[in-house]
Amino acid sequence: MRKLFAITAILLLALSSVCFAEKQEWVDKNYDFSKVKAVLLWDMFVDKSLENGINEKEIIEIVREKTNIKYVKVVTPPVVMEAIKRDYGIDLEALKATNQDQVLTTFFKYLPNYVDLEISVKVFSYGYGSHYREGYSYNTTSYKTSYTTGMGGRMETIQTPVVETHHVPGGNAKVTYCGVRWDIMEINKRNAVWSRIDDRARETDEIENTKPKDMLERIIRSFYDDFNKKTKRDKTIM
């Protein structure tokens, strides 16, 4: 019975850790993601308010490590620039020094020859905070063992349930939070086909000690799992 009481108490404490999640999403129902062959993945954007010399480095490392696109080819801006130089003889890297506007115009002019979609990712919240948490009460049941003498002088055991009420006071609770936005654009028409905002927060304590990096990893995994389902085809990219 003591073991049962301990397990019940642990479960109640774990459940008392509050998780907040807000996901906003729009997907173009008319766009066929299964026909996508290649995507341009822009460099990560970290909101300036998050930069402290550590956050931005950690975020960029996590996003690079956990981005998992399975069924389409992934290219980056430098790869596209090299392809334009190879195929059209235009050195965009050299052009940067004299005409930045022309670089962008040329880049987007030839971009449809190499990719179908472009993906941009922005981390807009990441770190720790706090909020006031209301107090609450919960009950646990344990059993009191007693003994009595029954018929024939036999010793019998009696288990009597004992309900105990526990009160948890209110106060400021530590919160881990992370928010990421994805925007996917169709290259030829230059219009959005998928946007998602995944904004999460979770109370932390001795039992639930979620870190911002843990939350970011879950958000990234969730998005690319969904992306892979939409773009899956009979063959994979080698």
Side-chain angles (χ1 to χ4, degrees), residues 147-226:
Y147 302 93
T148 186
T149 302
M151 294 182 61
R154 294 179 57 185
M155 185 70 71
E156 296 181 355
T157 302
I158 300 175
Q159 297 284 348
T160 305
V162 178
V163 177
E164 185 177 359
T165 301
H166 307 268
H167 301 283
V168 178
N172 288 328
K174 184 178 179 181
V175 176
T176 300
Y177 56 86
C178 182
V180 185
R181 175 172 183 141
W182 277 270
D183 287 293
I184 301 181
M185 301 283 292
E186 195 272 324
I187 295 298
N188 283 311
K189 297 180 180 179
R190 299 301 303 162
N191 61 334
V193 293
W194 188 358
S195 294
R196 175 185 289 186
I197 298 174
D198 197 336
D199 193 8
R200 305 186 188 188
R202 189 180 187 92
E203 288 185 6
T204 59
D205 50 32
E206 293 80 4
I207 295 176
E208 174 53 59
N209 190 28
T210 299
K211 297 179 175 60
K213 62 180 296 184
D214 302 325
M215 196 168 287
L216 178 58
E217 289 177 1
R218 293 169 193 163
I219 291 174
I220 295 170
R221 184 166 56 248
S222 173
F223 177 79
Y224 287 112
D225 282 349
D226 291 343

Side-chain angles (χ1 to χ4, degrees), residues 51-66:
E51 295 183 1
N52 62 6
I54 299 175
N55 276 345
E56 62 271 28
K57 295 182 176 64
E58 182 174 86
I59 291 170
I60 290 171
E61 285 181 357
I62 292 172
V63 173
R64 286 177 177 172
E65 290 174 2
K66 300 302 178 180

Side-chain angles (χ1 to χ4, degrees), residues 100-160:
Q100 184 68 39
D101 290 340
Q102 185 62 39
V103 170
L104 293 175
T105 301
T106 305
F107 182 88
F108 284 107
K109 175 183 177 180
Y110 293 106
L111 185 59
N113 296 331
Y114 304 104
V115 299
D116 305 294
L117 299 174
E118 62 179 65
I119 301 176
S120 60
V121 188
K122 176 182 179 180
V123 177
F124 59 85
S125 69
Y126 186 85
Y128 296 99
S130 65
H131 76 143
Y132 183 78
R133 181 181 185 180
E134 297 290 341
Y136 63 96
S137 299
Y138 64 93
N139 295 330
T140 57
T141 302
S142 59
Y143 291 85
K144 181 180 179 181
T145 303
S146 58
Y147 302 93
T148 186
T149 302
M151 294 182 61
R154 294 179 57 185
M155 185 70 71
E156 296 181 355
T157 302
I158 300 175
Q159 297 284 348
T160 305

Side-chain angles (χ1 to χ4, degrees), residues 11 21 28 30 74 89 98 123 151 173 175 185 202 230:
L11 288 173
D28 187 342
N30 297 318
V74 180
T98 57
V123 177
M151 294 182 61
V175 176
M185 301 283 292
R202 189 180 187 92
K230 288 184 181 296

Side-chain angles (χ1 to χ4, degrees), residues 39-50:
V39 298
L40 171 69
L41 187 60
W42 289 104
D43 291 338
M44 260 296 307
F45 180 79
V46 180
D47 194 278
K48 288 289 185 183
S49 64
L50 304 178

